[in-house]
Amino acid sequence: FLPETLGQLKMLEKLDLRSNRIKKLPREIGKLEKLEYLDVRYNHLLSVPVELLNCSGLKTLILSANGLKVLPDVGQLKELCSMSVDRNQLISLPNLRSLSCLQYLNVAHNKLAAVPSDLQDLDQLKELHLSIS
């Protein structure tokens, strides 16, 4: 459980919440406009609030090892350089084409049936971890 007052930390740049048995992120996380790094791996998240997309300066997003079945349209996070969503239940990925800064992507150990076609558009991608079911 995270308090809604989390959104009041306006200058927060790094938030590491790994391994806390968190079931839900508060929508107020979207008020963290300075947030550059978010790590919520090894929790019990089933969804990610769409308000997270308001964190437009986010550079690193780690959502690994939760129970996620769907992701919001992370393509809006134009500054994103690193994204880890491995070890979830994802059957598809949102459009990643607009993530022109993305250098690291880990989508391994999900339920993806095919390689996302827009990966070819990620010109800056240097490291990719992918497994297809």
Side-chain angles (χ1 to χ4, degrees), residues 63-68 85-90 108-111:
L63 299 169
S64 304
N66 281 284
L68 300 173
V85 294
D86 56 301
R87 290 170 278 147
N88 279 291
Q89 302 294 317
L90 300 171
H109 307 292
N110 278 288
K111 295 185 175 185

Side-chain angles (χ1 to χ4, degrees), residues 98-116:
S98 60
L99 296 177
S100 58
C101 296
L102 197 66
Q103 296 179 14
Y104 176 88
L105 178 62
N106 188 345
V107 295
H109 307 292
N110 278 288
K111 295 185 175 185
L112 300 175
V115 176

Side-chain angles (χ1 to χ4, degrees), residues 60-129:
T60 300
L61 178 60
I62 305 170
L63 299 169
S64 304
N66 281 284
L68 300 173
K69 294 182 179 179
V70 67
L71 292 176
D73 183 15
V74 293
Q76 295 179 43
L77 298 172
K78 306 290 187 206
E79 302 295 319
L80 202 60
C81 299
S82 175
M83 183 169 76
S84 297
V85 294
D86 56 301
R87 290 170 278 147
N88 279 291
Q89 302 294 317
L90 300 171
I91 56 171
S92 65
L93 295 174
N95 189 328
L96 303 174
R97 184 171 284 125
S98 60
L99 296 177
S100 58
C101 296
L102 197 66
Q103 296 179 14
Y104 176 88
L105 178 62
N106 188 345
V107 295
H109 307 292
N110 278 288
K111 295 185 175 185
L112 300 175
V115 176
S117 61
D118 54 356
L119 289 182
Q120 67 190 19
D121 298 321
L122 300 175
D123 296 338
Q124 298 300 312
L125 194 63
K126 295 178 180 178
E127 189 171 342
L128 172 64
H129 299 265

Side-chain angles (χ1 to χ4, degrees), residues 18-88:
R18 73 180 104 173
S19 302
N20 279 293
R21 298 184 182 149
I22 296 168
K23 293 181 180 176
K24 185 177 180 184
L25 291 175
R27 294 186 325 214
E28 288 75 16
I29 199 164
K31 295 179 180 177
L32 303 177
E33 297 174 3
K34 302 277 188 191
L35 194 65
E36 295 182 2
Y37 178 97
L38 177 62
D39 186 347
V40 290
R41 72 183 118 180
Y42 299 113
N43 280 290
H44 301 288
L45 298 175
L46 299 177
S47 64
V48 176
V50 68
E51 288 82 3
L52 180 65
L53 302 177
N54 294 334
C55 300
S56 57
L58 201 59
K59 293 182 165 103
T60 300
L61 178 60
I62 305 170
L63 299 169
S64 304
N66 281 284
L68 300 173
K69 294 182 179 179
V70 67
L71 292 176
D73 183 15
V74 293
Q76 295 179 43
L77 298 172
K78 306 290 187 206
E79 302 295 319
L80 202 60
C81 299
S82 175
M83 183 169 76
S84 297
V85 294
D86 56 301
R87 290 170 278 147
N88 279 291

